Amino acid sequence: MKDTYRHKGLRKRMIDALRQRGISDEAVLAAMMAVPRHFFLDKAFEEHAYEDKPFPIGNKQTISQPFTVAYMTALLQVKPNDRVLEIGTGSGYQAAILAALGAHVYTLERQEALYLRAKALLAELGVRNVRCYWRDGFGGLPEHAPYNGIIVTAGAPVVPEPLRQQLAVAGRLVIPVGEEVQYMHRFTRLSETEYREEVFDAFRFVPFLEGINKKDSK
Ligand code: SAH
C-alpha cells in the first residue's frame, strides 16, 4: 500500500472541506491528515477515498463519511493517553484516527469477517495502540473499564446502560441515538450517579445490532 503525494494532496483538500463544514478542532484535523483513508477502502474506491462520502466495506456495512468521523471525534475530546472504547470497528478507520490522537483504543465488532480484516490491516499499518475484539458492543468491554471516552459508530435504538457504567468520571460517551434517523448524543459522567446529556445534529448510521455474527453468515 502506498501513500503518494497525490493521495496527500487529496487528503489536504478533504481537510479543507471539513474546515469549511465547520470542523475546527485542530488535533482532529491533524489526525485525519495523518491517516491515509484509502488504506481502509476497497481498491475499487481508491480514487474516491477523499470525497466526503461513506463507502461499502462488505457485510452490508459502511465506513462513515469523513465529516461524521471528524464530528464525533471532536465531541469525544480525546487527549493523549486517554483510554477509548469504540463500538463498531468496521474498516478500522475511526480506530486509527483515535490512535493517531494518542489514545489507547479498544474496539469491538460483531461481524467476524470485519473484525478479522480490520485487525490484520491495523497490524500491517503498524498501528500499535488499538486492540480489536470480536464482541457484541451492547455489553461494552468491562474487563478494561473505565474509559475516558466511548464512541458508538452504529445507530443505537437505545443507550446501553453498560456503556454509561463503563465511563470514568469526566468520561464522555458519544452515541447516535434513534431508529430511522439518529441524533448525536454526548453523555458526560459527572459523578458515580450523575450524567450530563447533550443532543447535537441528525445523522444516518447502519444499525447497532445485538449479538455476534459468524464469518460465513453475511
Ligand atoms: N467505525 C467504522 C464504521 C463502522 S459501521 C469505520 O471507521 O469504518 C458500524 C459497524 O458497527 C459495522 O461494522 C457493524 O457490524 C458494527 N456493529 C453493529 N452493531 C454492533 C454491536 N452490537 N457490537 C459491535 N459492533 C456492531
Side-chain angles (χ1 to χ4, degrees), residues 61-62 86 88-89 91 94 109-111 136-137 153 208-209:
Q61 305 305 319
T62 54
E86 181 196 21
T89 313
S91 67
Q94 172 76 69
E109 172 56 57
R110 67 182 288 278
Q111 301 254 15
D136 177 0
T153 65
F208 188 27
L209 301 169

Side-chain angles (χ1 to χ4, degrees), residues 165-216:
Q165 286 303 327
Q166 289 171 29
L167 281 179
V169 170
R172 291 82 51 199
L173 164 62
V174 175
I175 179 169
V177 187
E179 306 267 353
E180 289 287 297
V181 167
Q182 296 86 33
Y183 285 88
M184 199 60 73
H185 283 59
R186 177 168 64 187
F187 294 88
T188 304
R189 189 166 200 168
L190 302 176
S191 68
E192 265 316 295
T193 53
E194 295 161 295
Y195 295 83
R196 174 173 65 225
E197 178 180 350
E198 297 162 281
V199 184
F200 300 91
D201 295 306
F203 291 83
R204 260 173 216 276
F205 282 79
V206 295
F208 188 27
L209 301 169
E210 268 191 275
I212 54 171
N213 199 356
K214 286 275 295 174
K215 201 167 167 180
D216 43 358

